[in-house]
Amino acid sequence: MDLDEIRDPKSRLSHSEFGRLGRIGSMGEVNGKWGKIGVTLPPNGFTKDIEACGIAGLINTNGKTENGKRVIDMITTMTDRENGLGAGYACYGLFPDLADSFCIQLLLDDEEAKENVEEFFKRKANIVKDEEVFKKPVRGMKGPYPLIWRFFLDVPEEVISASPHIESEDDYIVDCVMNINEKINGAFCMSSGKNMAVFKGNGWSHEIAEFYDLAERYNGYMWLAHSRFPTNTPGWWGGAHPFNILDWSLCHNGEITSYGTNKRYVEMWGYKCTLLTDSEVVTYLWDLLCRRHGLPKLIATMALAPRYFDDIALLPEDQKKIATELRMTYGRAMVNGPFSILVGTNRPNPSMIALTDRKKLRPMIAAISEDENTVYASSEECAIRRVGDAKEVWAPVTGNPVIAQLYRGLVWRGTEKQFEGKKIKLEV
Amino acid sequence: MPEKMEGIRIEIPSRYKVNIDREKCKICKRCTINCTFDTLSFNGERIVADHDNCVACQRCSAKCPQEAITIIDNQMAFPFHAAYDERIRRIGWEQASTGGVMLASCGNDLPYPSIFDDLVLDAAQVTNPAIDPLREPIETKCFLGAKPAKLEFTETGDEITLKTNLPPNIELSTPIMVGQMSLGSISYNAQIALFKAALEVGTLVGTGEGGLHPDFYKYGKIINSEVASGRFGVDANYLKKVAALEIKIGQGAKPGHGGHLPGEKTSKLISETRMIPKGTDALSPYPHHDIYSIEDLQQLIFALKEATRYRVPVGVKIAAVHNSAAIASGMVRAGADFITLDGFRGGTGATPRIIRDHAGIPIELAIATVDQRLREEGIRHKTTLCAGGSIRYSADLVKALALGADVAMICTPVLIAMGCRVCQQCHRGTCAWGIATQNPAYSQRLNIEVGARRIANLFHAWTEELREICGAMGIDSVESFIGNRDRLRYVGPNPKIADIMDVKHAGEAWG
C-alpha cells in the first residue's frame, strides 16, 4: 500500500490525520478491504504475526461460573511474556439466557461500519438482541479505541435448506463471518460462538482486562487468556488472541513453519485466511477436524501433533493402523514448528484443550485444584502458583494434550501413552 | 527416402579430438577393446583414433593404465555467426546427409534457464528454532496412493472406532523414487542394480514400458510397473506381481510420442520381457489406441484395478504440457491414485531430437499449476503428485516438494550414480559403461553390487540433504514441507513466473 492509496478519496478521515505510512489509527486498505489501521486492519507492511506469547486458562469442570479475576491474575503474572502490543480473553458460559443464539462480537471502526454489519445481519439472520459491549478508557492505554458491539443471532431454518452449499447453521455462520472479515469495511468479527465471547485488543493484558471490565462484569465456567510479545511487528486489535471461529477459541504461542501447507489445506475446505496470521489457520484446523470431520478431540490432537513413525511402529496393530492412517490422511493438517496452544470449545462437549508441538519447543504446564473441580493450564508455573490452590502441577509430554471436559473432569492428562485406556475398534 | 549417393556425407570437423600421449602409451590396446563407438583401433604400429566417431564417453581414458588418453573439444574454428552457431550448422549438415529425423536420447540439452535455480529457500531464525537432523528426528516417510478426504470415527466412552477404509498405499522411506526405465533402454545389470538399491532404500522403481523379466518378479514389492500404449510385457500374472501400476500416456522427453525399439535390439532377453518374438520391432503407438478421451482412461484405470483386485495403487503419467492442470484434474477424477508429471528435461532411451528439445513445459510450472488446480477443485488428497524429468540433484528435489509435489521421480541422476557420463548416445545401444546397452559384452562391465551401492548412497545423500533443509526451516516432517511455497522466494528475471508458481519475490516477508 503506498501513500496514494491511503489518500484515496474512499478514506473517511481528513488528510491531516495521515502521518507516516500506515500510521496506527489512519485509514487503509488491505486486500481490497478498508478499515482503521491497527484496529480492524493490520498495520501497514504487516502481513503475518510472528510472536512469542503467554497463555493461561482454567475450566471449572463442575460447571461453577466465576468472574475473570483468577485468569487475569494468571496471565498478568507472566510479565516477561508480553510487551503491551496485544492481549485477549475468551469466556465460556457467560450468556446463559441466550445460550442458543450465536453471539457475534465485533470490532468496528465507526457507526457506519456498525450499520453496515447490522444491515448485513438483517438480511442474513434473525437478530435476537444487540448491544454495545461495555468498555472504559484505561489510563496509559493507547488509542484509538474501536466501537465494540455484539449481536445475538438465530439462523432461520429456511436459509439452510435454500442454499445447496450450506449444510448446517454452523456452516452458515462461518460463511457470514468470512464475509464480514473479507468484505465489510471497518468491521472485524472477534468471536462467533454460542454462549461464549472473546474480548481482545491492543494493550497489556491488565489493560485489556480493565478496558472490558472482565474482573467483575462477566461470569463463565471457562476462561482463556493470552498476552502477546510480537517480535517484529506492531500490534493491532484484530490480530490479538484468542482467535475464534464458532465456539473454537485459540490462544497460540509459537510460529508455524508449516503455515504454507496448512493454509492451502484449509483453503481447500473453503476457509479463507483473512486475518493474516498463522494462528488463524490452527483455529480453522480445529473447526475442520472436530466439527466438520467429527474427529474425537484426542484423535484430532494426534493429527495436529502426530507421534513419530518410529514410536507408532511400537504400538499394537490396531493402534498402529489408526495412528498411521491419521498421518496419511491428515499430513497437511499437521502443525509444524514450535507451538503451545490453548483451545476452548463449547459444543458438543464444553472442553479446554492444551497442546504443544511434538518437540515441545514452547512451554505448557497443567494443574488441578485441591477439590479437583478446576483444571489449569499456562505457559509458566508461576501463573498457577499465583492462583494458589493447585493440588498437583505437572508438565504434559511433548505433543500430548491436556483435555478437561465439563462435567467429566480431567479426561486426559498429557502424560499417558498414546491411546492409553482406550479401546480401539476397526469397523472397516 | 533419398537414394544413397557416393560423397553424400561431406567432410565436417569432428566434435571431439582424442589425444594419445605417445610417450606414455604402451600400446596395450585396452582402449581399443573398451571403445564401443569404433573410435580407437590398432593399425599394426600404434593406436589410432577416428575422431569423428568419438562421443566423449571417457571410457578409454578411464581404462588406460598409463593415463595416456585425453579427450578434448575440437578447437577447429567455425566462422562466427551468432544465429547459425555450431549446433545449428551440424544439424543442417547431418540432415542433408541422411534426409531423416534426428535421433537423440537422454534429456533436453539446450540451455533453457532452470526455474529451480531461480528459487531460494527460507531458514529459521530467532522466533522458530532450527532443528539439527543429527540430534532430532526429521521424518521423510511418505505414502504413494489416494487418501480419503477424512477419517470417520465414533467415540463412545473409552471406545474409539475407525470406520474408514483407506485405498491401497505404498510406504516410501523417502519422497524420491526411480522413474520409468525399461529393460531395453537400460541393461539387465543396470536394472538389477536399481532393484537392489530400491530394496535397501525402501522406495519404488519403474519398469519402463518393456514389462518385467521373469528373473525380476522377486523384486515385485518395490516395482512400479508401466502399462504403455504398446502393452509390451503386460499380462495378468505380471500385474499381480508388482506394487503399483502406472499407465503411461506421455513422457517428458517426447510428449506426444510412443516408443521404438528396433528389431535388432529384441534379443532373447528382451523378447522374454516384452512378450514379443525375437527380432521383431517393438513399436508402441503414440496414443493408447483404447484411450482417445478421458472416459477411456477411466476404463483402463478400472480394468487394471479390477485385475489387481484393488490391492495396488494405479497411477497415470503424462508429460508436462500447456494444459497439464486440467488434464491432471481429469485423471484424478478418472481414478488415478497417483499422477506423474514428467518435465521437459526428462530423459529417454531414444527420441526425435526436435521433440526432446522443444516440446513440453518446465516441471516447476507444471507442479505448481497442477497442485493448485487439484486444491481448487478439492481433490488434492485423492492423488499422490509425483514429479520428475528435470530433478537433477537434491536442491531441485526440495524445491519440487515445496512447490507441491509429494514425491520426486529421478532417472538420469541414478544413471549418473552408476557411472553414466551423459554422452547422450543411449539410442545407439552401445553404451561403453554397460548401462544403456543390450550387448552382454558391454552390459557385464557394470558391477551390479557396486552400482546398487552407489544408487543407495545417492538416495541416502539426497534424503540427508532434504532433512538438513527441513531442519533449517524448523520443519521436522516432510509432509509439512510439501506445497509450503511460503518457504520459497523467487530471484529470477520474470515476476510472471513467480505469480504462476504463487511464490513471493525475495525481499517480501512472510504472509
Side-chain angles (χ1 to χ4, degrees), chain A residues 47-48 255 309 332 362, chain B residues 127 139 158 160 406 476 510:
Chain A
T47 52
K48 190 161 159 298
E255 179 174 326
F309 282 116
R332 280 158 219 272
R362 292 287 157 93
Chain B
T127 51
E139 300 181 306
D158 283 333
I160 295 175
D406 292 301
D476 71 354
W510 277 46

Side-chain angles (χ1 to χ4, degrees), chain B residues 210-233:
Chain B
L212 189 64
H213 193 272
D215 291 0
F216 299 151
Y217 281 3
K218 61 185 175 197
Y219 297 111
K221 67 173 182 177
I222 49 100
I223 284 174
N224 172 21
S225 83
E226 190 167 279
V227 176
S229 57
R231 299 287 197 278
F232 295 120

